[in-house]
Amino acid sequence: MEVDNKILNAVAPCSMFCSTCTGCKYGDVSLHATELVKLLDGHEEFLDKNLKSEYRDRLDEFRIFMKRLKKFANPKCGGCRNGGASGCSIKGCIIPECVKEHNVNYCGECNEFPCNKVKESGFKDTTIKKWLDGSNKIKENGIENYYQENKNVPHYINYKNK
């Protein structure tokens, strides 16, 4: 099945969203951080010239903020589909090569899904659960529906205390 390149770049073969990850070069976080860096150009100099002495600590805070923001604007991961997953948190992931071998775009499209390869990979249980849940949704509803339902879900929402 032919899948739109936008979706292929947004959703990794494992079903996780590259497009919302802080490590993705072409992801939403990087794009928004880049825009903020542009919009804040000159603000450090403005603060330096205009802050009253009792508020000078805000200049240091701004510098720290900008340093971190620039890191978000320039992540290293180019995605696992093109072998550019240098920033992926799952080192040595077997899934990109496996989907190529099975001639599918996503695990959920594979006739062998769910397979024992991922279960035996040494991935954390939380990662395996995300893989199973996402891949099952792709299998049941198709990648286009999965993409539309999840494209704006924060990448790290499951880590938030509820």
Side-chain angles (χ1 to χ4, degrees):
M1 177 172 92
E2 194 68 33
V3 178
D4 185 298
N5 277 335
K6 180 178 182 178
I7 295 174
L8 283 173
N9 286 324
V11 185
C14 63
S15 77
M16 294 186 206
F17 272 71
C18 298
S19 61
T20 57
C21 178
T22 59
C24 183
K25 284 182 186 181
Y26 54 85
D28 295 340
V29 173
S30 174
L31 295 174
H32 291 296
T34 300
E35 286 302 310
L36 274 174
V37 168
K38 288 178 191 174
L39 289 171
L40 291 169
D41 189 28
H43 192 67
E44 179 179 347
E45 294 80 4
F46 168 81
L47 292 174
D48 191 34
K49 289 179 180 162
N50 294 293
L51 279 177
K52 294 179 181 179
S53 60
E54 65 264 26
Y55 301 114
R56 293 298 290 176
D57 60 321
R58 292 185 183 167
L59 177 58
D60 292 333
E61 289 173 5
F62 180 77
R63 287 177 175 147
I64 292 167
F65 168 74
M66 284 302 291
K67 184 176 180 181
R68 189 68 193 128
L69 185 61
K70 287 176 181 178
K71 287 190 180 222
F72 281 114
N74 295 294
K76 293 181 175 28
C77 186
C80 56
R81 291 193 186 275
N82 59 12
S86 60
C88 186
S89 61
I90 305 172
K91 301 293 182 216
C93 183
I94 59 167
I95 295 173
E97 194 57 41
C98 189
V99 295
K100 283 181 191 173
E101 290 171 8
H102 288 88
N103 201 31
V104 294
N105 292 310
Y106 302 96
C107 293
E109 298 173 340
C110 183
N111 291 332
E112 295 178 27
F113 173 79
C115 68
N116 288 329
K117 288 180 186 178
V118 172
K119 293 176 185 175
E120 296 168 356
S121 68
F123 293 159
K124 293 178 183 178
D125 289 342
T126 53
T127 302
I128 292 173
K129 182 176 177 1
K130 279 179 132 179
W131 166 74
L132 279 170
D133 291 349
S135 295
N136 275 319
K137 288 177 182 173
I138 290 170
K139 185 174 191 152
E140 293 165 11
N141 303 319
I143 186 58
E144 289 84 4
N145 289 328
Y146 180 73
Y147 171 76
Q148 289 301 324
E149 291 170 8
N150 294 283
K151 67 182 178 181
N152 295 317
V153 174
H155 194 82
Y156 306 96
I157 194 72
N158 293 334
Y159 293 95
K160 191 171 182 179
N161 293 334
K162 294 182 181 194

